[in-house]
Amino acid sequence: RMLIIVSRESMLNELEELLRDNDINAYTILTNVKGKGITGRVHGTFYHPDINSIIFSVLSSDLAEKAVAALTALHTRCLTSYGQPIPLKVFTFPCEEHV
């Protein structure tokens, strides 16, 4: 499975720790990602300094499920604490390795 995590760059340390704690030690991080979503536009400018990151990881189905459960729990904890959606999206897709 391909796991894709989109989050604010400020969450990277917490997300990497969560991945390590769930036996996920291979992933790729793209930084300085801009766009627009449910929590608003991410400009990466002086007046709007928020910036996103994307984490990609190819995992067995079991590890993907474990990661999604941990990420869902994190999202729920943050939603309860802050009372609004946090900038965290998680996706999985089927994935085949060809080379």
Side-chain angles (χ1 to χ4, degrees):
R1 305 283 301 168
M2 170 69 75
L3 174 69
I4 300 174
I5 305 166
V6 181
S7 71
R8 290 291 191 269
E9 223 164 84
S10 60
M11 296 178 68
L12 272 180
N13 288 338
E14 185 174 7
L15 292 172
E16 284 189 276
E17 183 177 328
L18 183 144
L19 293 175
R20 278 191 305 274
D21 290 348
N22 286 278
D23 304 317
I24 299 166
N25 299 308
Y27 48 85
T28 299
I29 298 175
L30 301 177
T31 58
N32 199 28
V33 177
K34 299 170 188 157
K36 184 174 186 246
I38 192 168
T39 59
R41 183 137 179 88
V42 178
H43 297 277
T45 64
F46 178 77
Y47 292 110
H48 303 280
D50 290 334
I51 201 76
N52 282 348
S53 293
I54 298 176
I55 301 173
F56 294 95
S57 188
V58 177
L59 306 167
S60 67
S61 292
D62 292 345
L63 273 180
E65 288 177 23
K66 185 177 178 182
V68 168
L71 290 158
T72 300
L74 170 65
H75 188 269
T76 301
R77 280 193 311 274
C78 290
L79 183 59
T80 300
S81 295
Y82 303 123
Q84 61 185 8
I86 62 165
L88 174 67
K89 289 292 188 180
V90 179
F91 307 90
T92 59
F93 299 93
C95 184
E96 293 182 44
E97 184 174 347
H98 296 282
V99 177

